[in-house]
Amino acid sequence: MITTLFSAILASILHVISGPDHLAAVTPLAISSQKKGWKVGLVWGFGHLIGMLLIGVLFLLFKEVIPIETISGYSEQLVAIVLIIVGLWAFYRIFNEKKKYSQPHTHSDGHTHIHSYESDSEHHSHKKEMKQNILSSLSIGFLHGLAGVAHFILLLPVLAFETKLEGVQYIIGFAIGTVLAMTAYAFILGNIARYSKKANDPIFFKGIRFAGGLFAIVIGIYWLYLTF
């Protein structure tokens, strides 16, 4: 039973990290979210699971009635378009940020130093931006789950188990691995972005954000090409 659970976790982790479209979708959002980047990966994982389970149920119950392959194909095209949009949105954020302004502050001992402040609109937009990142990641994860009936094949081992308990264990393991893999990936990216920003290296920080956006656009264009 432990082997079943471990095998499912390993299979789902390999499924997540071997898909460049998976990583490209989360990369710009995780970098933008910084220390909360893990939340982006977490909700993507849950969205992906919901999409996979939905397409799997439709495949089992309504294969002869609903054009599952057509739904899957359109979902793949939509994922590609969304990847491009995410990348372009990352570029927009990079090149349209409002600059900080500085204000001198003098202490009672005569020592003067400079405080830097973000503009009010930027300061209040942080929480809104985080909510947008989480909602976007959840939606993209869901679309990824719908894209490709091949996802359902990953759950076919469930049908070969002798007991229902083993089948349930496999599904649970697959869910754990999917969420764990993307959460860890987003956590690492978010912290890299956070440390680069704290190091007061704006060029490097913008560079990794630019690279994340470019990654999403390139994979989106390539994925869109493959769907035609």
Side-chain angles (χ1 to χ4, degrees), residues 60-186:
L60 281 175
L61 300 179
F62 306 106
K63 183 180 179 181
E64 304 300 329
V65 181
I66 300 177
I68 306 297
E69 290 80 4
T70 302
I71 295 175
S72 177
Y74 283 126
S75 296
E76 289 184 357
Q77 293 178 2
L78 186 57
V79 166
I81 294 172
V82 169
L83 285 178
I84 296 172
I85 293 174
V86 168
L88 293 175
W89 180 244
F91 286 168
Y92 174 80
R93 286 178 173 177
I94 293 171
F95 296 112
N96 289 274
E97 288 181 333
K98 295 184 178 180
K99 296 181 178 180
K100 295 181 179 180
Y101 63 90
S102 299
Q103 177 178 328
H105 178 73
T106 303
H107 291 273
S108 58
D109 59 0
H111 175 69
T112 302
H113 61 273
I114 303 297
H115 283 298
S116 294
Y117 299 88
E118 294 179 344
S119 64
D120 290 338
S121 59
E122 183 179 0
H123 175 73
H124 292 295
S125 68
H126 286 323
K127 290 184 178 181
K128 181 179 179 181
E129 180 179 326
M130 187 63 211
K131 290 180 180 179
Q132 289 176 343
N133 288 348
I134 290 177
L135 181 59
S136 298
S137 185
L138 180 65
S139 303
I140 296 172
F142 178 75
L143 287 175
H144 265 120
L146 291 179
V149 180
H151 286 155
F152 177 66
I153 297 175
L154 294 169
L155 296 177
L156 284 180
V158 173
L159 303 178
F161 293 128
E162 295 181 357
T163 65
K164 291 183 179 180
L165 179 60
E166 286 182 316
V168 171
Q169 276 195 318
Y170 187 89
I171 293 175
I172 292 174
F174 198 94
I176 292 173
T178 299
V179 174
L180 182 63
M182 193 56 81
T183 301
Y185 176 74

Side-chain angles (χ1 to χ4, degrees), residues 20-77:
D21 56 316
H22 299 160
L23 305 182
V26 172
T27 296
L29 301 176
I31 291 174
S32 175
S33 301
Q34 297 177 54
K35 67 178 181 180
K36 294 183 179 180
W38 64 270
K39 291 184 178 181
V40 170
L42 181 68
V43 298
W44 183 94
F46 281 116
H48 188 267
L49 286 172
I50 294 171
M52 281 185 62
L53 291 175
L54 178 59
I55 200 70
V57 169
L58 291 175
F59 185 84
L60 281 175
L61 300 179
F62 306 106
K63 183 180 179 181
E64 304 300 329
V65 181
I66 300 177
I68 306 297
E69 290 80 4
T70 302
I71 295 175
S72 177
Y74 283 126
S75 296
E76 289 184 357
Q77 293 178 2

